[in-house]
Amino acid sequence: MAKQSWKPGNMLYPVPAVLVSCQGKNTKPNILTIAWAGTVCSDPPMVSISVRPERYSYHMIQETGEFVINLTTEELSRATDYCGVVSGKDVDKWAKTKLTPMPSTMISAPGIKESPVNLECRVTKMLKLGTHHMFLAEVVAVHVDEKYMDEKGKLHLEDSNLLAYSHGNYFSLGDELGRFGYSVRKK
């Protein structure tokens, strides 16, 4: 089977589809959908999100240096899509999606109560990259929905049906194929 050569592009898929909540100093909180989010460091825990400067939320994040990454699920897929195609300057996305703002513990921006995991983030650096600007941020607090915890306190995030984005489409994550290191473990 042959392969086609395409022009350079972002084909690193799938990626997490997350809802980012933020709030400016003199604005209502807003939500935007981000597919370009990722882990960049484990100690200190750091993440990145890339946002177009024309997005309504961009200036809130730039002004306050804060945002919350809220993991999404199959159940949140319609809200995730909605928050990515409608502007918060025209619509109250919280009301339209019936999502619940949840007070954060370390920053001013609220998290989303319906999300299984909320990562409170504080921006450490912003990089102007072209169409998108990348916000590098330290994770300053994490909140986990107890319904995904077992009696021993172990998190079972796989039970939440996390959402992924791949080349214009949303997917829930599939079956587990193995655990880290399974390829070298004795049978």
Side-chain angles (χ1 to χ4, degrees):
M1 182 180 287
K3 285 196 173 191
Q4 295 180 4
S5 291
W6 289 6
K7 67 178 184 167
N10 294 323
M11 293 297 294
L12 183 62
Y13 290 116
V15 293
V18 298
L19 290 170
V20 171
S21 48
C22 57
Q23 182 171 1
K25 291 181 180 171
N26 297 310
T27 62
K28 297 181 304 185
N30 192 45
I31 310 167
L32 74 154
T33 302
I34 298 283
W36 293 352
T39 299
V40 295
C41 189
S42 55
D43 188 16
M46 295 187 73
V47 293
S48 70
I49 60 170
S50 293
V51 183
R52 289 180 181 265
E54 7 353 297
R55 295 290 299 263
Y56 178 66
S57 296
Y58 172 88
H59 298 288
M60 293 180 199
I61 296 168
Q62 185 182 44
E63 174 188 50
T64 64
E66 299 176 344
F67 59 89
V68 180
I69 294 177
N70 304 277
L71 298 189
T72 58
T73 63
E74 191 175 322
E75 189 176 307
L76 295 171
S77 64
R78 288 190 71 79
T80 302
D81 184 64
Y82 184 85
C83 290
V85 296
V86 175
S87 175
K89 71 179 159 205
D90 302 323
V91 172
D92 179 349
K93 295 182 192 181
W94 296 92
K96 287 285 188 182
T97 59
K98 295 182 173 63
L99 293 174
T100 310
M102 178 184 83
S104 291
T105 57
M106 300 296 289
I107 65 171
S108 298
I112 297 172
K113 184 177 181 182
E114 292 79 6
S115 172
V117 176
N118 316 89
L119 306 172
E120 294 182 26
C121 302
R122 213 173 261 135
V123 175
T124 59
K125 188 174 197 174
M126 197 243 326
L127 301 168
K128 296 180 179 183
L129 300 174
T131 58
H132 289 71
H133 294 177
M134 178 189 290
F135 293 98
L136 292 172
E138 186 169 349
V139 178
V140 295
V142 176
H143 305 279
V144 178
D145 191 327
E146 291 179 348
K147 76 179 178 185
Y148 301 110
M149 309 276 294
D150 66 21
E151 60 282 345
K152 294 180 181 176
K154 181 177 181 192
L155 175 62
H156 292 277
L157 201 48
E158 66 277 7
D159 294 340
S160 70
N161 295 318
L162 289 174
L163 202 60
Y165 179 82
S166 183
H167 203 60
N169 299 295
Y170 299 100
F171 297 91
S172 59
L173 294 182
D175 297 330
E176 179 183 320
L177 302 177
R179 293 179 108 26
F180 180 75
Y182 82 101
S183 64
V184 296
R185 286 198 182 99
K186 293 180 181 177
K187 295 182 183 191

